Amino acid sequence: MAGYLLAGASAIALVIIASVLVRKLRSASDDGDPAGPTVSHAGSMISALFLIAFAIAIVVPWTTADAARLNTYAETQAIAEASWSAAELPAASVATIQVGLHDYARFVKDAEWPLMAEGKLSPEGWSRLEDLRKGVVDLQVKGTDEEEAQASVLQHISEISATRRQRAMDAAATPPPSLLGVTVATGLAVLVLPLLGGARPRGMALLPLALMAVLLGMGVYLTMDISRVFDGALAVTPDAFSGLLSELQRISWSA
């Protein structure tokens, strides 16, 4: 924050120094016109800065949400693959492993998803995965088929763990606070610059100014609303886990 304040103070000092030097080195006319070169130049630059900050504040959460959504499907695919591979394990352990995978998916969808809106995951999810891993490792397997099935299930559990870790990172990811601050500051500057420049809108001239204020407010609110991947207008929903649970339920019925 100190760096941003120092940069802002330096910029203001530069403007003051340049203004004084221009007045001393050459003749210059006063510019008090709201439509004059000073206000016009400042307005175009502030508008450009706002558009840049606004675009970044929209694009970053949007791309993060898309990646997070794809990751949830990768996680559920790994759970499904693990469940299918578990069918080749010793008969006495098949149901235990498959039920554990089903319960983990149900836990993520029902209990953990609301926590992700706050940017965190439940420690219980890691405990459930670790219990599944230990259960598979401790199995007494015989023959090549069962050994391969055990290795396959362990590999898929590792994939579940990796995608879960990515989901934790996605849940905690937010745009830099400074970016949102710049978006708000430049949006306010765009709104009040004509007034600061000396304009005094009256009558119908107030209508476009009011419309701009409403749209700017909506845009700035949107950047804040989508700052978290699992909350707000772009929130990633547990559709992947809902589909997985339906598929696992269908498979168990058919079996």
Side-chain angles (χ1 to χ4, degrees), residues 104 107-108 111-116 118-132 161 164-165 167-168:
Y104 169 78
F107 168 79
V108 172
E112 192 167 57
W113 214 267
L115 291 177
M116 294 191 298
E118 303 173 7
K120 57 187 178 180
L121 271 65
S122 171
E124 184 179 346
W126 296 111
S127 299
R128 287 173 177 263
L129 276 184
E130 186 58 29
D131 290 343
L132 279 169
S161 179
R164 177 181 174 81
R165 190 171 293 108
R167 180 158 52 85

Side-chain angles (χ1 to χ4, degrees), residues 57-110:
I58 292 292
V59 170
V60 170
W62 194 294
T63 54
T64 303
D66 283 344
R69 186 174 292 104
L70 291 175
N71 184 68
T72 62
Y73 282 95
E75 184 174 0
T76 55
Q77 181 63 30
I79 296 172
E81 295 285 351
S83 182
W84 295 332
S85 297
E88 302 300 324
L89 292 173
S93 62
V94 171
T96 301
I97 302 301
Q98 289 183 333
V99 168
L101 291 166
H102 179 277
D103 289 346
Y104 169 78
R106 174 69 65 182
F107 168 79
V108 172
K109 175 182 177 294
D110 293 341

Side-chain angles (χ1 to χ4, degrees), residues 34-51:
T38 301
V39 176
S40 298
H41 177 68
S44 61
M45 291 304 299
I46 291 174
S47 298
L49 289 173
F50 169 74
L51 291 175

Side-chain angles (χ1 to χ4, degrees), residues 1-211:
M1 179 60 69
Y4 291 108
L5 294 176
L6 179 60
S10 299
I12 293 174
L14 178 61
V15 171
I16 295 174
I17 293 171
S19 177
V20 172
L21 290 177
V22 167
R23 285 182 177 275
K24 288 184 176 181
L25 297 178
R26 52 178 291 187
S27 60
S29 59
D30 291 335
D31 180 19
D33 185 0
T38 301
V39 176
S40 298
H41 177 68
S44 61
M45 291 304 299
I46 291 174
S47 298
L49 289 173
F50 169 74
L51 291 175
I52 292 172
F54 180 73
I56 296 174
I58 292 292
V59 170
V60 170
W62 194 294
T63 54
T64 303
D66 283 344
R69 186 174 292 104
L70 291 175
N71 184 68
T72 62
Y73 282 95
E75 184 174 0
T76 55
Q77 181 63 30
I79 296 172
E81 295 285 351
S83 182
W84 295 332
S85 297
E88 302 300 324
L89 292 173
S93 62
V94 171
T96 301
I97 302 301
Q98 289 183 333
V99 168
L101 291 166
H102 179 277
D103 289 346
Y104 169 78
R106 174 69 65 182
F107 168 79
V108 172
K109 175 182 177 294
D110 293 341
E112 192 167 57
W113 214 267
L115 291 177
M116 294 191 298
E118 303 173 7
K120 57 187 178 180
L121 271 65
S122 171
E124 184 179 346
W126 296 111
S127 299
R128 287 173 177 263
L129 276 184
E130 186 58 29
D131 290 343
L132 279 169
R133 191 192 310 275
K134 289 181 179 179
V136 177
V137 170
D138 293 341
L139 289 178
Q140 300 297 320
V141 295
K142 298 179 181 179
T144 303
D145 290 342
E146 291 185 357
E147 290 177 355
E148 291 179 350
Q150 184 185 41
S152 179
V153 173
L154 288 174
Q155 174 62 32
H156 291 311
I157 291 178
S158 295
E159 294 171 359
I160 298 170
S161 179
T163 51
R164 177 181 174 81
R165 190 171 293 108
Q166 180 61 50
R167 180 158 52 85
M169 295 173 59
D170 292 335
T174 57
S178 57
L179 176 61
L180 295 179
V182 170
T183 304
V184 173
T186 53
L188 291 174
V190 169
L191 179 62
V192 303
L193 184 65
L195 305 178
L196 294 178
R200 297 294 182 265
R202 294 289 186 273
M204 292 301 295
L206 289 171
L207 184 60
L209 186 64
L211 180 60

